[in-house]
Amino acid sequence: MDRVIVDTDTAADDTQALVLALRSDRLMVEGVTIVAGNVAFDAQVENAKHTLQVLDRTDVPIHEGAERPLLKEWSHATDVHGEGGLGGGAVPETGVDSADEDAVEFILETVRASPGEVSLLCIGPLTNVALAAAREPDLDELVDEVWVMGGAVDHPGNVTPAAEFNFWVDPDAAKRVLGDLSVHLVDWGVTLRDGVLGRDAVDRARALETPAADLFGTVVEPALAYAREQHGIDGAPQPDGLAAACMIAPEIRESVREVALAVDEREGLTRGFSLADESGTLDRSADARVIEAVDREAFADLFLAALAGDPPETALD
Ligand code: RIB
Ligand code: CA
């Protein structure tokens, strides 16, 4: 079983990544760390706690982290996820306490105590991880794997034509993380190619009538509307869930590209742009593993298994 910390800007699709990670028998979630991103920080904290309550997993600690990007002004995505992040304005009031230790200290303490054993699943802007990398020069050796949902590799972004939301919100952090750490990357491109739950899968999920499926039924509405209006797609893109599923199940990774990655941190047209380079222009090692294709049917099966209350990997049996 792989030990993992989930770093999240908890809104709709983040909740589904938490469902997958917490339901899997292949992962042990050590803690959830919160980072500024999708919606108001306090709402994200409550959304994460609510998701743990739905799964009856409030044993997992929630550690609060960066409430704004490293240098840029915070930008939200309430237009995509609803004001509160879970499909509408309402924010849960869970009454669950956050852990005392802040997110970055928790990440560092956990990986230092168990070198090479704990992975990171990063499904929001990379501010917390960048701060951890700044404080710990040996972070790349101390972590096991670093999985990142972010970027748009050789593909249009979803905030600007150049950039995907997580990398656009905090491009300085994304630049730092991709420079310091070897990551597995699930980007917006593979999300639109293989990480969209079709209408049939959405309807099957809703019919499951489990607490997790009920949560999905609530949060999926804005994703359906966003995909229809912005991308002409009849389905629900699940970027964070796809990253979690690819981390859990190597079996569904159909194509992985080893490449040098860099991010443009400058303000302007290419802020947050993720550059993949095989020409040697970057003078960087090809240490990023970009997931370029995923078995989309298997992904949907994993997703539904987790919502049904089973370990997602049982869908592969
Ligand atoms: O671009 C998609 C990413 O931005 C996802 O992590 C989503 O939750 C938002 O944070
Ligand atoms: Ca996210």
Side-chain angles (χ1 to χ4, degrees):
M1 183 178 282
D2 294 334
R3 299 168 60 187
V4 64
I5 294 171
V6 182
D7 190 66
T8 164
D9 59 339
T10 318
D13 65 312
D14 301 71
T15 68
Q16 302 309 300
L18 287 170
V19 170
L20 284 155
L22 288 160
R23 285 271 192 254
S24 176
D25 287 340
R26 293 179 179 182
L27 295 184
M28 180 164 67
V29 179
E30 298 277 331
V32 176
T33 53
I34 310 297
V35 65
N38 280 317
V39 297
F41 187 84
D42 291 345
Q44 293 180 170
V45 172
E46 284 304 303
N47 292 343
K49 293 173 179 177
H50 176 67
T51 305
L52 296 185
Q53 282 183 325
V54 165
L55 298 170
D56 196 21
R57 289 299 311 275
T58 52
D59 58 294
V60 176
I62 299 274
H63 294 263
E64 300 181 21
E67 299 193 29
R68 52 154 300 146
L70 293 180
L71 298 174
K72 303 297 192 283
E73 286 302 311
W74 170 63
S75 298
H76 59 74
T78 55
D79 56 320
V80 175
H81 298 291
E83 193 65 29
L86 297 185
V91 176
E93 291 181 13
T94 63
V96 174
D97 290 332
S98 296
D100 294 336
E101 194 175 33
D102 80 29
V104 177
E105 276 314 304
F106 171 71
I107 290 169
L108 292 177
E109 183 181 287
T110 305
V111 300
R112 284 169 177 158
S114 307
E117 294 182 22
V118 182
S119 293
L120 304 180
L121 174 58
C122 313
I123 53 176
L126 289 166
T127 316
N128 287 339
V129 181
L131 287 168
R135 293 187 206 170
E136 178 49 78
D138 295 332
L139 185 60
D140 201 30
E141 288 69 44
L142 289 172
V143 293
D144 182 8
E145 295 184 338
V146 179
W147 280 79
V148 171
M149 190 284 132
V153 176
D154 301 330
H155 192 279
N158 55 19
V159 176
T160 71
E164 171 279 331
F165 180 80
N166 290 337
F167 281 18
W168 187 85
V169 166
D170 197 341
D172 304 278
K175 178 179 182 176
R176 173 94 200 212
V177 169
L178 292 185
D180 288 5
L181 307 179
S182 302
V183 308
H184 287 76
L185 188 82
V186 172
D187 77 321
W188 184 243
V190 74
T191 298
L192 289 189
R193 291 190 295 273
D194 300 324
V196 176
L197 284 189
R199 177 64 70 166
D200 173 61
V202 170
D203 293 342
R204 283 161 55 203
R206 281 191 170 125
L208 289 170
E209 294 184 346
T210 63
D214 293 346
L215 172 62
F216 173 74
T218 301
V219 305
V220 76
E221 279 309 322
L224 289 167
Y226 166 79
R228 186 171 52 248
E229 292 156 17
Q230 299 297 324
H231 299 280
I233 296 173
D234 185 18
Q238 294 297 316
D240 294 344
L242 187 65
C246 287
M247 180 183 198
I248 292 165
E251 301 94 326
I252 70 172
R253 306 171 204 165
E254 290 188 336
S255 170
V256 182
R257 175 186 175 195
E258 294 193 358
V259 69
L261 278 183
V263 175
D264 186 350
E265 82 286 4
R266 299 166 299 176
E267 283 292 7
L269 280 178
T270 54
R271 166 176 161 172
F273 177 67
S274 41
L275 173 68
D277 174 48
E278 284 152 324
S279 68
T281 304
L282 288 176
D283 189 22
R284 296 264 298 275
S285 61
D287 64 353
R289 292 176 177 79
V290 177
I291 309 300
E292 290 205 314
V294 174
D295 181 336
R296 65 179 71 133
E297 288 75 23
F299 169 59
D301 292 343
L302 284 160
F303 200 95
L304 287 164
L307 290 181
D310 301 320
E313 59 271 14
T314 57
L316 301 173
D317 293 343

